[in-house]
Every structure is written in C-alpha cells, then in structure tokens.
Amino acid sequence: MKILLTGGAGYIGSHTAVELLAAGHDIVIGDNFSNSKKDVIDRIKQIAKRDFKLYEIDFADAKATDELFAKEDLDAVIHFAGYKAVGESCKMPIEYYRNNIDSTLNVLSSMRKYGVKNIVFSSSATVYGVPKQVPLKEDMPTSCTNPYGWTKYMNEQILRDTATAEPDFSVVLLRYFNPIGAHESGLIGENPNGVPNNLMPYIAKVATGELPKLNIFGNDYATKDGTGVRDYIHVVDLAKGHLKAIEYSCKNKGAEVFNLGTGVGYSVLDIVHAFEEANNVKVPYAIVDRRPGDVAECYSDASKAHKILGWTAEKNMVQMCRDSWNWQQNIKL
Ligand code: WQD
C-alpha cells in the first residue's frame, strides 16, 4: 500500500514510518517541521534502507493538501499532524482549534475527492478527561479538560460522522497513552523544542546534567506513593500498533476506536527509580506543587486491540528506559 503520514517527521510518525517501510509498504511523509527536525527524514531512510517522498506542507492549508493528493496515488492516510502540548493549548486555543481541526477537515475533503478510503487517526487518552475509574476502556465516557484534548475529541467525532456519511470509508481511532522510549538505533526519538513538558525526556536531560533536577508535580495524589500514575508504552510498540490498524482498516468499513497502552500503571517515582537502575545514573528530584490539569491515575485496558487488531505491547520498562537514555546521549552527538 501507499500510505501518507501527515506529521510523519514527528516522534510517533517517524517510528511508524520505519515500521511501515520495514513491512514493505510505500510511504509519503508530509510535515511542516513545526515540531520536528528535517534530519529525521534522512535518519528514517538510514534505518529503513528505503526511500520515500517528502512534502514540506501545512495540512491546515487546503490548497497545498489538495495538490499533494492530486500528485500522489494514495491508498491510506495516517493522520499525525497537529499541535500537541496541553499547557500551550490553554494559552493558544484559537491556534490549536484552527490547526488541529482544519488539517483534519482538509485531509478528509481531499480523501473524499481523490477516492482514498482508509484513515488511521492519532488520538489520545486525554479524551477520557478525569477518569472516574481505571483501567480505561474504549466505551467509557469521554470529556476533556483542555483545548488540546478537545481537538482530539472533536476530530474523533468528525471522523466518525464521515465514516457514517461515506459508507465505504474506514476510520480507525487510536488512543495513545504515554509513549516513551526510542528506536534501538538511537537515530530517532522524542526531541521536543526547549524544556520538555513530558516526564521521560525531562528525566533524560536531568541524567545528562543539562537540567539540574526533576520537579515531581505533587506527591499527594491518591496513588500508591502519592505521585501520578500513567500507562507508559514504548514508542516502537505504539508504531507497530499503527501497522496493525492499517491492516485492519483495509478489511473493515466504518469507525472503530482502540486504546494503545500496556495496561500497566507506573508512578512518577517508579519511572525515576527504573531509569536510574536501568542506566546506572542518578536522577535528583524535588517534590513541588501539582501541575494544573494533571489527573491522579490514567492507564488502559488494552484488551480490545489485542482481541481485534492482534496487537499487544511487548517492550518492558527496562527497554523503555534504556532506549530513552541511548537516544538522549545520541542527541548530544
Ligand atoms: C506524566 C506524569 C506528571 C513532567 C501528556 C498529554 C497526553 C500525551 C502525553 C499527547 C504526570 C509527571 C511530568 C515533569 C512530573 N500527549 N511529571 N514532572 O501529562 O500524562 O500526558 O503527554 O498526546 O495527551 O496530556 O504526560 O509526561 O507530562 O506527565 O512530575 O517535569 O509525570 O505530573 O504525573 P501526561 P507527562
């Protein structure tokens, strides 16, 4: 198949590109590099030992999106492109709604115009809002606590409605939990601009000495050690989930949603200790106030993806920590 990866130079997109190429698919990457670096493209090619076309493109631009679809005879789309920082979305809601919703509407309009019937969408566990109970199952209530989450929620609804209106469309919604780690080559990984928002890249920068210590946002949650509990999943396991989702999409019509997580919750302190042990490094930390918007616990019931997609996360926490550390040391090269 020939698959367009919108935002394919990003953290999840680049790892998914590697897995799709390894599985023999052809890919096209479209990215505006607003939250990724151009050298990722050559690194994907280096890992996969295969070539592919790149478009430097903003999918919020309807004309540019249409031109890409007119040029490329596509079979499917995996739609990663979108802004994704929770805190930033609270400060810039207009930009988040404009970018994240318009890009989806443009991609869907072009898919309909050029007869592309299959789309996999990068959604997020953030659509569950403040979980009433864990583990989270796909049929549990959704409601968001920030504009970023609402863009994921609204895009899910837009995609479901499109699948209803276009009977031969296939829509697969993937709700990611907390992706961490990096490809074993150390050539691609999470490389956020500036000071990382997310836990693992922050810990890795503390371990290199780039940052003085980790600030743990609260230890007074109703969890086993008071710190936040999340479902951390290796980004390569997540990427493999997209391969299974594409295969599922080609055999099924309509819309379906899947959690992509491990089903295991780890606390912040669990991650700090696992990282120190796996890599024989120290991660100094201080307990500070809670971060607004954080929830106590969020982890998945991933059994639906196992049953229907035939996918289960395989990598363990030691591998997640080692691959994160390997990547962090390579970035400095
Ligand atoms: C994890 C835990 C923090 C940083 C977010 C988005 C989600 C998805 C993944 C896009 C929490 C604690 C963190 C730090 C800390 N992104 N923490 N000190 O908030 O669960 O999820 O990223 O799809 O949509 O919401 O991830 O890594 O920011 O936090 O104590 O410096 O680590 O309180 O308990 P989060 P995170």
Side-chain angles (χ1 to χ4, degrees):
M1 291 180 73
K2 186 175 189 182
I3 305 160
L4 168 65
L5 279 67
T6 73
Y11 177 39
I12 318 297
S14 55
H15 286 84
T16 303
V18 165
E19 297 305 325
L20 291 172
L21 290 166
H25 292 291
D26 294 317
I27 68 168
V28 173
I29 287 185
D31 206 304
N32 65 2
F33 299 104
S34 62
N35 195 23
S36 53
K37 295 178 174 63
K38 283 193 179 171
D39 69 349
V40 168
I41 300 300
D42 287 340
R43 291 167 178 235
I44 294 169
K45 293 177 181 176
Q46 185 181 344
I47 295 168
K49 298 183 178 53
R50 290 191 58 203
D51 201 359
F52 56 85
K53 211 185 267 182
L54 166 70
Y55 287 80
E56 186 160 356
I57 178 175
D58 182 348
F59 288 99
D61 176 338
K63 187 170 175 295
T65 303
D66 189 74
E67 284 165 2
L68 186 156
F69 274 79
K71 282 187 193 134
E72 298 296 337
D73 181 17
L74 299 168
D75 298 304
V77 177
I78 305 183
H79 184 35
F80 296 102
Y83 298 153
K84 60 162 226 168
V86 171
E88 185 182 62
S89 77
C90 298
K91 296 185 196 114
M92 306 163 61
I94 296 171
E95 288 76 10
Y96 266 70
Y97 285 115
R98 166 83 65 212
N99 184 68
N100 291 8
I101 305 297
D102 279 4
S103 56
T104 303
L105 292 172
N106 291 339
V107 166
L108 285 172
S109 301
S110 293
M111 284 179 68
R112 184 175 57 181
K113 179 176 175 183
Y114 294 96
V116 184
K117 311 282 187 201
N118 304 297
I119 183 167
V120 173
F121 175 64
S122 162
S123 190
S124 167
T126 203
V127 302
Y128 290 112
V130 181
K132 302 264 184 315
Q133 64 183 91
V134 282
L136 289 159
K137 293 176 76 75
E138 290 85 351
D139 59 1
M140 283 185 179
T142 48
S143 160
C144 301
T145 58
N146 58 76
Y148 159 73
W150 282 118
T151 69
K152 291 298 186 185
Y153 179 99
M154 292 173 188
N155 276 327
E156 285 196 3
Q157 193 55 50
I158 290 166
L159 285 152
R160 286 179 199 281
D161 290 344
T162 303
T164 304
E166 305 287 337
D168 52 358
F169 245 59
S170 173
V171 165
V172 181
L173 308 170
L174 300 180
R175 289 176 181 164
Y176 306 162
F177 280 72
N178 287 58
I180 60 172
H183 189 268
E184 60 187 8
S185 65
L187 289 172
I188 54 176
E190 190 172 14
N191 192 9
N193 299 327
V195 176
N197 292 310
N198 293 137
L199 180 65
M200 187 55 93
Y202 201 105
I203 285 177
K205 284 185 184 284
V206 170
T208 62
E210 277 175 76
L211 292 168
K213 67 176 176 350
L214 170 69
N215 294 310
I216 297 182
F217 299 139
N219 68 345
D220 56 352
Y221 287 102
T223 62
K224 62 177 189 176
D225 60 22
T227 64
V229 171
R230 297 291 185 274
D231 182 333
Y232 297 95
I233 175 173
H234 198 293
V235 65
V236 171
D237 278 329
L238 195 65
K240 290 180 174 171
H242 289 73
L243 186 56
K244 291 288 188 184
I246 277 284
E247 290 164 5
Y248 171 88
S249 168
C250 297
K251 299 180 198 129
N252 296 273
K253 298 300 173 197
E256 199 51 84
V257 59
F258 298 95
N259 287 336
L260 292 191
T262 64
V264 179
Y266 283 92
S267 74
V268 178
L269 285 172
D270 285 337
I271 300 294
V272 170
H273 297 144
F275 192 91
E276 290 182 323
E277 210 170 299
N279 299 312
N280 193 24
V281 295
K282 287 308 285 171
V283 178
Y285 65 84
I287 305 291
V288 300
D289 291 340
R290 291 182 175 192
R291 179 173 64 177
D294 273 354
V295 298
E297 284 195 301
C298 177
Y299 59 91
S300 68
D301 174 325
S303 58
K304 183 179 176 187
H306 174 70
K307 259 189 249 106
I308 298 178
L309 298 181
W311 170 90
T312 303
E314 292 166 354
K315 291 180 180 285
N316 61 34
M317 185 48 72
V318 173
Q319 290 168 297
M320 294 185 223
C321 291
R322 286 207 175 128
D323 289 339
S324 296
W325 181 230
N326 181 44
W327 160 247
Q328 187 59 45
Q329 291 173 296
N330 277 10
I331 303 180
K332 290 168 65 72
L333 298 182

